């Protein structure tokens, strides 16, 4: 099960956009939804009115869509969960999702999120992978989360999944906070690259790579127009480079080259 939620857990819309990309690429089909009336405050998360393919005006209610897709050339099925973070009854909401996971024989939950952070837009977007499941940590060589503080629906679903004995893994992209209010194709691409590794699937991300480069050039131009922002970005770049310097010439390059080779082998 691959899950992402719009709202607090979705800086730059990177997580929900990444999930939509996977769904479109794999041709996912909707299998169910979660009733909106039970879990949303419609004065806070308002319904939208839109025209359908026939040109008729219809109300689109905030909801959670559950879809199914298959990874080509594998025996792996994906259950995609995409919704808006609910307003009410988080324990009942996550219990319903986990019950669906059990019914669909899900053997792992991958939670995708994006957060605002003090990172520069001009450097690779960090993606943190954590798990509180011992076997997942051992098999994927990842660490447990050390975060303490307020959480969103992603954090609640992670704990409920573990309590139901479903191994759970979390991916978080760090989005530059000074451009976090608009969509971030660069953060979306970083999440998709990590999902490619986890799912062992090749995703056609060339167009998104071009959008990511255009986004970065656009932010560069905006930053140069404001001396204070430009100075702040340089400060973030220096801090990031200092942290990354010990492994920049070795481990990180080898990891990126290994990811490239794996993708080429899957494509062939």
């Amino acid at each position: 099960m691959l899950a992402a939620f719009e709202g607090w857990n979705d800086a730059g819309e990177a997580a929900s956009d990444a999930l939509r990309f996977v769904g479109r690429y794999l041709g996912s089909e909707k299998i169910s939804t979660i009733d909106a009336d039970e879990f949303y405050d419609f004065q806070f998360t308002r319904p939208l009115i839109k025209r359908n393919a026939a040109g008729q005006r219809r109300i689109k209610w905030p909801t959670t869509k559950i879809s199914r897709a298959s990874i080509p050339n594998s025996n792996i099925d994906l259950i995609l969960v995409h919704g808006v973070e609910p307003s009410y009854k988080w324990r009942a909401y996550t219990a319903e999702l986990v019950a669906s996971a059990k019914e669909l024989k899900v053997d792992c939950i991958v939670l995708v999120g994006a957060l605002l952070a003090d990172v520069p837009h001009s450097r690779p977007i960090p993606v943190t992978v954590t798990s509180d499941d011992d076997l997942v940590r051992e098999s994927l060589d990842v660490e447990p989360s050390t975060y303490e503080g307020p959480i969103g629906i992603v954090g609640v679903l992670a704990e409920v999944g573990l309590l139901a004995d479903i191994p759970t893994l979390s991916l978080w992209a760090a989005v530059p906070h000074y451009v976090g209010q608009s969509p971030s194709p660069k953060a979306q691409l970083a999440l998709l690259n990590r999902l490619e590794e986890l799912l062992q699937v090749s995703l056609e991300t060339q167009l998104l790579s071009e959008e990511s480069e255009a986004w970065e050039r656009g932010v560069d131009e905006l930053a140069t127009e404001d001396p204070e922002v430009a100075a702040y970005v340089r400060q973030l770049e220096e801090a990031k480079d200092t942290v990354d310097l010990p492994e920049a010439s070795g481990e990180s390059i080898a990891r990126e080259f290994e990811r490239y080779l794996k993708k080429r082998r899957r494509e062939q």
Side-chain angles (χ1 to χ4, degrees):
M1 177 177 279
L2 194 61
F5 300 89
E6 298 175 26
W8 195 76
N9 314 271
D10 194 25
E13 301 175 17
S16 56
D17 282 348
L19 199 77
R20 274 191 287 262
F21 185 101
V22 173
R24 286 195 303 267
Y25 185 79
L26 297 179
S28 65
E29 296 182 357
K30 185 172 72 174
I31 56 177
S32 66
T33 58
I34 292 182
D35 181 29
D37 287 349
E38 286 291 315
F39 301 108
Y40 293 98
D41 178 351
F42 296 131
Q43 289 185 324
F44 178 75
T45 308
R46 290 189 176 272
L48 303 174
I49 189 158
K50 292 187 173 184
R51 294 189 183 276
N52 60 20
Q56 300 168 318
R57 283 159 51 89
R58 292 288 184 268
I59 294 177
K60 182 179 179 183
W61 296 91
T63 188
T64 301
K65 182 173 73 173
I66 301 175
S67 307
R68 186 197 298 271
S70 296
I71 296 180
N73 304 315
S74 77
N75 61 349
I76 299 176
D77 285 339
L78 285 182
I79 304 301
L80 304 175
V81 177
H82 176 224
V84 180
E85 184 177 65
S87 308
Y88 306 120
K89 302 181 181 179
W90 282 17
R91 282 178 288 190
Y93 177 85
T94 51
E96 187 168 335
L97 278 176
V98 169
S100 295
K102 288 283 191 180
E103 184 178 342
L104 294 165
K105 303 188 186 319
V106 166
D107 52 21
C108 182
I109 297 176
V110 179
L111 300 162
V112 185
L115 53 87
L116 298 176
D118 292 327
V119 295
H121 71 278
S122 53
R123 298 294 185 267
I125 295 290
V127 176
T128 303
V129 183
T130 62
S131 178
D132 289 324
D133 183 276
D134 293 337
L135 291 178
V136 172
R137 289 204 305 271
E138 183 179 348
S139 61
L140 297 179
D141 190 26
V142 298
E143 298 295 325
S145 174
T146 58
Y147 172 77
E148 294 184 53
I151 60 171
I153 197 65
V154 169
V156 178
L157 182 54
E159 178 168 292
V160 174
L162 287 172
L163 291 174
D165 294 323
I166 302 178
T168 304
L169 183 71
S170 296
L171 277 67
W172 285 91
V175 178
H177 69 88
Y178 52 91
V179 285
Q181 302 306 313
S182 58
S184 176
K186 188 171 182 177
Q188 179 191 349
L189 181 61
L191 286 170
L192 289 172
N193 287 340
R194 207 68 171 92
L195 287 171
E196 281 185 316
E197 297 174 6
L198 289 171
L199 302 175
Q200 294 294 292
V201 61
S202 295
L203 301 171
E204 199 62 51
T205 57
Q206 179 58 39
L207 180 59
L208 185 60
S209 296
E210 295 172 3
E211 292 177 4
S212 173
E213 292 169 2
W215 174 87
E216 186 171 334
R217 288 194 300 270
V219 179
D220 284 342
E221 293 173 4
L222 290 173
T224 56
E225 294 174 0
D226 188 324
E228 290 187 8
V229 173
Y232 178 65
V233 171
R234 285 195 298 272
Q235 179 183 342
L236 291 177
E237 289 172 339
E238 291 170 2
K240 178 66 174 170
D241 292 344
T242 300
V243 171
D244 289 347
L245 186 61
E247 64 166 18
S249 61
E251 183 180 333
S252 63
I253 295 174
R255 186 167 59 244
E256 182 63 23
F257 186 60
E258 182 180 0
R259 189 184 72 81
Y260 167 77
L261 291 178
K262 286 181 179 179
K263 184 172 183 179
R264 282 293 301 274
R265 283 197 294 269
R266 289 196 297 271
E267 289 173 346
Q268 292 170 358

